[in-house]
Amino acid sequence: MTLPKLHIAVLMGGWSNERPVSLMSGEGVATALEARGHQVTRIDMDRDVAARLAATKPDVVFNALHGTPGEDGSVQGMMDLMGLTYTHSGMVASVIAIDKELTKQALVPHGVPMPGGRIVPVSEIYQKDPLERPYVLKPVNEGSSVGVAIVTAEGNYGNPISPAAKGPWQEFDSLLAEPYIRGRELTTAVLGDKALMVTELRPKSGFYDFDAKYTEGMTEHVCPAEIPDEITQACLELALRCHRLLGCSGCSRTDFRWDDTQGLDGLFVLETNTQPGMTPLSLVPEQARHLGIEYGELVEIIIADALAAKGKRK
């Protein structure tokens, strides 16, 4: 792919829990774009971001933010009002996809298999378990497995959970409780309107949490995943369906849990990420590379999609 030489603002950083990852993603993108001859302005987002973007006057903004407010529709709405062209999904898709409960409401009626569960006030979990153990507690509006806890009968959170135990209940007023799905962690990226491939993630210990995602050596990536063809095909189809139903643009990544003792009945969508990481350990660049798309080309494909999608995003 050959793009005209552009002035690109790379928006990164911010103040979410995922700030360090965003800075790594943004620097990787910026360096790749400069190597391909583009003019790049790096913007570490602060409260003056609108004024800084207006002064920069970029041809396109590469949104390398993760978490809130860069991935939840807030920044997207701001850039829409400013008339800026930007990468990845628009405001509506971002609002829905970052909220795990809204995501279920958008996808489950269309036949997408997702775990059950409900949102519970933290005060309730100190009194009794919201679900039969084992179950998962997670924030409704965070990504990258931030604040996820697996509550088991043998765990050390207490029974009922103790307020003194370290966990997401110390940071959030309410949490999403879901049944724990045993088995394997799978993920599929969508680029443009094509599902790429399936990667299996095998953490060396524990589960695929924030540290396992972004600490080198803590997780083995099996790419492509060594799984039956019917599971591969189901992941590809479901990831593309989620991307389309949510109205995503550019690039997304859908994460799955698969109970391999249950065949297709054991495959569940966990979430769709509208702005997947672009770090050296990130899954989208890895899948693209296996298909012959190098990092710099991947970045340009995402930018070309943004230029083509201007005014058409949800």
Side-chain angles (χ1 to χ4, degrees), residues 219-280:
T219 299
E220 178 187 3
H221 294 189
V222 182
C223 183
E226 297 168 351
I227 55 178
D229 289 345
E230 66 173 359
I231 302 300
T232 295
Q233 191 59 36
C235 288
L236 296 174
E237 292 175 356
L238 284 168
L240 185 56
R241 195 190 312 173
C242 292
H243 183 93
R244 290 172 174 172
L245 287 169
L246 293 170
C248 298
S249 298
C251 181
S252 72
R253 195 193 76 240
T254 295
D255 299 333
F256 303 87
R257 287 287 288 182
W258 177 47
D259 182 343
D260 55 8
T261 68
Q262 301 295 319
L264 278 173
D265 290 339
L267 183 65
F268 295 88
V269 170
L270 296 181
E271 64 180 334
T272 294
N273 303 274
T274 55
Q275 286 168 217
M278 294 289 286
T279 76

Side-chain angles (χ1 to χ4, degrees), residues 133-197:
R133 297 190 182 200
Y135 63 91
V136 180
L137 289 172
K138 61 180 73 171
V140 179
N141 296 90
E142 292 283 350
S144 285
S145 300
V146 171
V148 175
I150 299 175
V151 182
T152 65
E154 303 80 19
N156 59 0
Y157 294 135
N159 194 354
I161 290 173
S162 167
K166 185 178 179 181
W169 42 84
Q170 295 180 328
E171 300 180 55
F172 302 93
D173 294 329
S174 61
L175 295 165
L176 177 63
E178 292 180 339
Y180 174 71
I181 301 168
R182 68 162 302 281
R184 299 158 71 172
E185 193 94 22
L186 307 174
T187 191
T188 294
V190 172
L191 181 62
D193 200 42
K194 180 181 179 182
L196 299 186
M197 60 197 316

Side-chain angles (χ1 to χ4, degrees), residues 72-142:
D72 67 353
S74 301
V75 165
Q76 289 80 1
M78 177 195 72
M79 290 193 288
D80 285 339
L81 288 172
M82 295 177 68
L84 294 171
T85 301
Y86 57 92
T87 62
H88 298 82
S89 297
M91 183 183 71
V92 175
S94 300
V95 166
I96 295 171
I98 201 169
D99 187 299
K100 296 175 178 65
E101 191 65 15
L102 289 178
T103 298
K104 289 183 182 183
Q105 293 173 14
L107 298 181
V108 171
H110 293 274
V112 175
M114 300 187 76
R118 62 189 180 92
I119 296 174
V120 294
V122 164
S123 59
E124 181 179 320
I125 70 170
Y126 297 148
Q127 306 301 318
K128 62 179 181 178
D129 286 330
L131 301 173
E132 183 179 349
R133 297 190 182 200
Y135 63 91
V136 180
L137 289 172
K138 61 180 73 171
V140 179
N141 296 90
E142 292 283 350

Side-chain angles (χ1 to χ4, degrees), residues 66 208 280:
H66 303 314
Y208 192 55

